[in-house]
Amino acid sequence: MDFALELTNKIRAAYPLLLISAREEWRAARECARIVLNRKMKVWVWTVTKGWAELSFDEKGALPEAMTARGDGTTDPDDALDWVSKLRPDIKPGACIMVNFHRYWTEGKTVQKIKDLAPLCKALGMPLVFVSSVVSIPDELRADLTMMTFGFPD
């Protein structure tokens, strides 16, 4: 199954937590955003250097080639997860994409926050998507995360 169809199906089925293994993290994040935006839903992308930024198509219908959007400064991983917990259905959430978050999975509090977000994300129909080239899942999250692979272009 191709990546776009697989991700679309997982969004429709309200999978709450996705982990996408990708060698090119930004390309994978952009593709996820494109898929969600085509469903007329909002997309936010988080990086540790910029915080959360809403991603959208430009006037030509394209997405940025790099994380150029000015983030909100929420660079602390726990604060970033708290930000997700405040999303509500009236803002038409689509997906929250966290790039290279894997390095923060060693903290017990962070792992528990992710587990606590799963029911909210499922109820909102909004996946929390982790995109990383490093796949090291804590044992506590193995049952909660759904793995996907984003390959190289044909």
Side-chain angles (χ1 to χ4, degrees):
M1 180 181 308
D2 84 318
F3 180 81
L5 180 58
E6 183 180 3
L7 181 60
T8 299
N9 288 341
K10 288 186 181 352
I11 292 169
R12 282 187 186 140
Y15 279 65
L17 303 174
L18 301 173
L19 172 60
I20 298 174
S21 169
R23 283 298 199 204
E24 298 176 84
E25 298 94 339
W26 182 246
R27 195 171 64 82
R30 283 179 65 231
E31 181 62 10
C32 291
R34 185 191 63 75
I35 291 164
V36 174
L37 289 168
N38 281 336
R39 295 175 53 83
K40 308 292 187 236
M41 301 170 95
K42 294 186 180 214
V43 176
W44 295 273
V45 177
W46 180 86
T47 66
V48 72
T49 56
K50 299 204 182 222
W52 286 107
E54 187 172 349
L55 206 58
S56 59
F57 292 121
D58 65 16
E59 63 281 348
K60 296 177 185 172
L63 287 168
E65 291 296 322
M67 182 63 175
T68 56
R70 184 181 191 114
D72 69 354
T74 309
T75 57
D76 178 80
D78 282 336
D79 291 345
L81 293 172
D82 289 342
W83 184 92
V84 174
S85 73
K86 295 173 183 155
L87 292 176
R88 297 291 170 251
D90 58 315
I91 59 166
K92 290 177 56 179
C96 292
I97 302 168
M98 302 187 88
V99 180
N100 287 323
F101 193 84
H102 64 276
R103 58 184 62 114
Y104 307 106
W105 287 350
T106 57
E107 299 296 321
K109 180 180 173 185
T110 302
V111 169
Q112 188 58 51
K113 281 187 177 191
I114 293 169
K115 290 176 78 66
D116 291 348
L117 283 172
L120 172 68
C121 291
K122 183 152 184 77
L124 292 175
M126 175 204 73
L128 180 55
V129 181
F130 300 96
V131 178
S132 177
S133 62
V134 177
V135 179
S136 59
I137 305 169
D139 290 337
E140 301 92 342
L141 289 175
R142 285 194 189 281
D144 299 298
L145 283 169
T146 301
M147 276 286 302
M148 295 178 64
T149 302
F150 184 81
F152 292 107
D154 294 332

